[in-house]
DNA sequence: CCTGGTCTGTGGTAATGACCAGTTAGATTA
DNA sequence: TAATCTAACTGGTCATTACCACAGACCAGG
């Protein structure tokens, strides 16, 4: 990434500028809680308009790199760089962020009519189409971390084969590459549950052991439900992170 | 809220416009998954520039009311209005959102030197100042929901009296009104824990019962740590909500 | 010594005009 | 008929100019 704006680059200028500033921050050139150059100065420095400058800065603010104070300036956030700020991630990405090698063991995969409760959460009509059912044991560094049950809504007439899931690993990637469906938003709930005998034996713990139960509904860029996922995590191995803002 | 932009209003025009559009959506005038007028049309309709239109729309997108598709239009999100989208809230606000009457029973309140582990999370120097220690039983509709332990950093020399906490209820409000400290960001972790005998008796459950353990570090508008809060919730009574985005 | 102005630099809001980049539907062409 | 092109939308990016609102420093007057 060069240090100047390239007008012949395809990517927007405000995006290029954001990358440059992000590097300056990462490189320690701009220190935490210290101001970066003012908008008017940046205008001079990089030969772009204030409109563009502000777009770049807003992007970096949303990403948590900068904060502003009216009348004072724009400052570098003192955030220790921490992965896993509550963004929408798949289990695979989640594990990688924690520095663990993601793995999985598929227990079931087929197309089926979802039960009534699930059908409602998928916002499907009663004349229900079949959805992809998938039950997987999720591993981190080859150790069972959780048991995941998912119902995925595919475009009518489409299917995903077991082979595809095996090789790709991430359902999200398949959805994106094959159907151009991009998960952009999700609602998640977390609560405590106790392991059933089946869950316990699969996870290698005693029945009745405490679990962290996550239920997630994922929406596409068109605000349609893509999937409903239920995961029970081993209570002793998993911790959930969230970054909240006001 | 009028249906026209008032140039003599103190509030920014893009904010006024956002309110108007939000009402049109709430009133069903703009239907879910249907397009709202294009940016050029809104320019005509409300007599403001496209710059302002776009700011209003971006605001409503961040709030989840609208989504856009390049080349097609701007559409109303089909989201059922749901409270508790992962925003930074206090326990009191949280309870209200769930339709429960928040209550509390203060078990301890004093100024003290925090233990080493806590001091690090508060990002305080070793020459540690005293912080406000508070232990409260949190109630929802007069039923124990959780046990909260908090360490709050006050400006040097300042204190908060038990009376203030009793009457105000919310520490956040006191911080804001008395010290102009606004909580703007927080990091939270959730995991499973088992009730100690003391926790169990306070919460009215059996020792060893599963709990949802939340640890939260809250930051001010100046990106300084305001407080560190640990809450154990009754596993059978509490569920955590989060809204994730990509 | 404090109080209240004023000046200057900061970000915040807004209008205008221009062009780029997807999407769609109707007209045109093979 | 079917494929293609084109024109007219949509939102996305960018430059320029102007003025407002807040913070801080400095200075004059009490």
């Amino acid at each position: 990434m060069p240090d100047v704006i390239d007008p012949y680059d395809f990517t927007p200028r405000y995006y290029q500028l954001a990358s440059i500033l992000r590097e300056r921050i990462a490189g320690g050139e701009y220190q935490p809680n210290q101001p970066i150059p003012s908008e008017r100065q940046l205008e001079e420095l990089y030969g772009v308009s204030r409109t563009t400058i502000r777009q770049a800065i807003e992007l970096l603010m949303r990403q948590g790199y900068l904060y502003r104070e009216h009348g004072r300036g724009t400052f570098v956030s003192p955030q220790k760089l921490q992965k896993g700020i509550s963004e929408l991630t798949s289990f695979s990405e989640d594990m990688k962020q924690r520095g663990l090698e993601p793995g999985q063991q598929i227990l079931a995969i087929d197309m089926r009519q979802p039960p009534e409760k699930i059908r409602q959460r998928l916002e499907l009509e009663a004349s229900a189409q079949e959805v992809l059912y998938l039950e997987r044991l999720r591993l981190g560094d080859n150790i069972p971390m959780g048991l995941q049950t998912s119902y995925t809504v595919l475009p009518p007439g489409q299917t995903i084969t077991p082979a595809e899931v095996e090789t790709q690993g991430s359902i999200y990637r398949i959805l994106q590459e094959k159907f151009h469906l991009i998960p952009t938003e999700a609602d998640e709930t977390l609560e405590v549950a106790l392991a059933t005998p089946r869950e316990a034996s699969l996870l290698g713990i005693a029945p009745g052991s405490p679990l962290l139960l996550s239920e997630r509904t994922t929406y596409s860029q068109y605000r349609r439900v893509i999937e409903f996922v239920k995961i029970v995590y081993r209570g002793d191995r998993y911790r959930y992170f969230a970054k909240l803002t006001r």
Side-chain angles (χ1 to χ4, degrees), chain A:
Chain A
M1 183 67 59
D3 262 19
V4 291
I5 303 294
D6 176 3
Y8 298 106
D9 196 330
F10 311 104
T11 62
R13 297 187 188 187
Y14 77 91
Y15 192 83
Q16 292 181 52
L17 178 57
S19 297
I20 294 172
L21 294 178
R22 208 183 292 112
E23 279 184 14
R24 290 236 197 285
I25 293 168
E29 202 157 338
Y30 298 145
Q31 288 292 317
N33 287 315
Q34 293 302 309
I36 67 172
S38 76
E39 297 183 348
R40 269 84 170 181
Q41 287 172 346
L42 289 170
E43 216 174 343
E44 281 293 315
L45 282 171
Y46 294 101
V48 293
S49 76
R50 204 175 148 212
T51 315
T52 306
I53 304 282
R54 285 182 64 81
Q55 278 186 86
I57 289 179
E58 263 162 45
L59 184 61
L60 292 174
M61 285 208 310
R62 277 201 302 276
Q63 297 178 345
Y65 290 99
L66 297 176
Y67 66 99
R68 329 185 85 156
E69 287 181 38
H70 191 173
R72 301 225 314 131
T74 303
F75 303 83
V76 176
S77 292
Q79 308 289 3
K80 45 236 159 227
L81 51 116
Q82 59 182 356
K83 36 202 174 173
I85 50 174
S86 131
E87 284 173 352
L88 180 48
T89 55
S90 67
F91 179 88
S92 318
E93 295 171 88
D94 188 17
M95 282 300 110
K96 282 180 198 159
Q97 285 183 341
R98 290 160 195 260
L100 301 176
E101 184 60 31
Q104 62 176 336
Q105 185 180 328
I106 296 180
L107 304 176
I109 175 171
D110 55 68
M111 297 295 291
R112 63 168 70 171
Q113 295 270 358
E116 175 60 18
K117 259 186 74 174
I118 304 296
R119 194 185 58 69
Q120 287 179 1
R121 307 195 72 148
L122 294 175
E123 295 176 9
L124 290 178
E125 300 303 319
S127 59
Q129 65 193 83
E130 294 195 324
V131 301
L132 176 68
Y133 175 80
L134 195 50
E135 189 179 29
R136 292 182 277 185
L137 194 59
R138 292 296 210 163
L139 315 173
D141 279 352
N142 275 318
I143 297 173
M145 298 291 293
L147 179 63
Q148 172 176 11
T149 309
S150 69
Y151 296 84
T152 309
V153 181
L154 303 179
Q158 301 284 355
T159 57
I160 291 180
T161 66
E164 285 175 300
V165 178
E166 292 276 9
T167 55
Q168 295 280 342
S170 167
I171 288 271
Y172 281 12
R173 196 180 309 150
I174 300 175
L175 286 172
Q176 182 156 354
E177 291 175 4
K178 198 167 173 187
F179 307 120
H180 307 294
L181 286 175
I182 304 173
T184 54
E185 215 172 282
D187 292 328
E188 187 164 27
T189 67
L190 292 174
E191 60 193 303
V192 173
L194 300 179
T196 64
R198 178 161 183 275
E199 289 168 344
S201 84
L202 284 168
L203 292 173
I205 52 179
S209 299
L211 302 171
L212 192 59
L213 166 60
S214 154
E215 291 188 334
R216 177 190 286 193
T217 309
T218 308
Y219 299 87
S220 72
Q221 70 265 48
Y222 309 115
R223 297 308 190 270
R224 304 290 185 189
V225 177
I226 293 182
E227 63 171 2
F228 173 76
V229 182
K230 170 185 165 179
I231 311 185
V232 286
Y233 294 102
R234 282 185 60 151
D236 57 343
R237 293 240 175 94
Y238 196 80
R239 178 183 290 179
Y240 183 88
F241 282 89
K243 191 180 204 71
L244 313 176
T245 54
R246 169 111 88 175

